[in-house]
Amino acid sequence: EIVAGGGSVRLAAAGAAIQRQPLPDATLDLPPLTGSDGLLENASPLLAAAVGSVTLDEFDTGKAELKPTHRKQLAGTLRNIQVLMRQYPLSTLTVTGYADTLDTDAKNLELGETRAAVVKQALIDQGIAAAIIATDSKGEGPPQAVKTGDATPNARNRRVVVRFRPK
């Protein structure tokens, strides 16, 4: 077994698969791709879509308020979007709100809309033009981040997904 770089690798017989195991209590908290505008300025559409997008999950049940962690995630993604807009000036953003399975379909659809509107306003407040941001709600509908199969709530299903669409 070799231990290096935040994990261990178990070596097996020749031709066998290599399995990487994380070290106990090892967490990987990577910041958004920032600080190197040159990489982003030459980003392919696929890379631009990835680094200009973010999922904000674990909203409180029945609530649409942004938590400090959401604001931090948005700030990093916003920086990426601002750089990417120089290369892809016709780009758009889609902000989609989701809810867990507590409450009625109609209430969850409304809650998803409210969550999306809150995130859209946060983006506008940070300088993104309202005209390029579309909002949508899936309520508790598919795709669920975590399939529960019943009315069991899951914090990852209470989310907003921001998608950067480079053009």
Side-chain angles (χ1 to χ4, degrees), residues 74-117:
L74 270 179
T77 303
L78 176 67
R79 172 80 174 109
N80 293 345
I81 291 169
Q82 290 168 335
V83 172
L84 292 166
M85 289 298 291
R86 293 193 295 254
Q87 181 177 354
Y88 299 103
L90 301 177
S91 297
T92 60
L93 293 168
T94 303
V95 181
T96 306
Y98 295 84
D100 58 22
T101 53
L102 294 180
D103 222 331
T104 65
D105 288 347
K107 290 276 189 183
N108 287 334
L109 194 59
E110 182 181 330
L111 179 57
E113 289 171 3
T114 303
R115 286 177 176 158

Side-chain angles (χ1 to χ4, degrees), residues 1-3 8-21:
E1 186 168 311
I2 301 171
V3 177
S8 65
V9 177
R10 187 167 293 139
L11 299 177
I18 295 176
Q19 181 179 3
R20 183 182 182 280
Q21 298 293 326

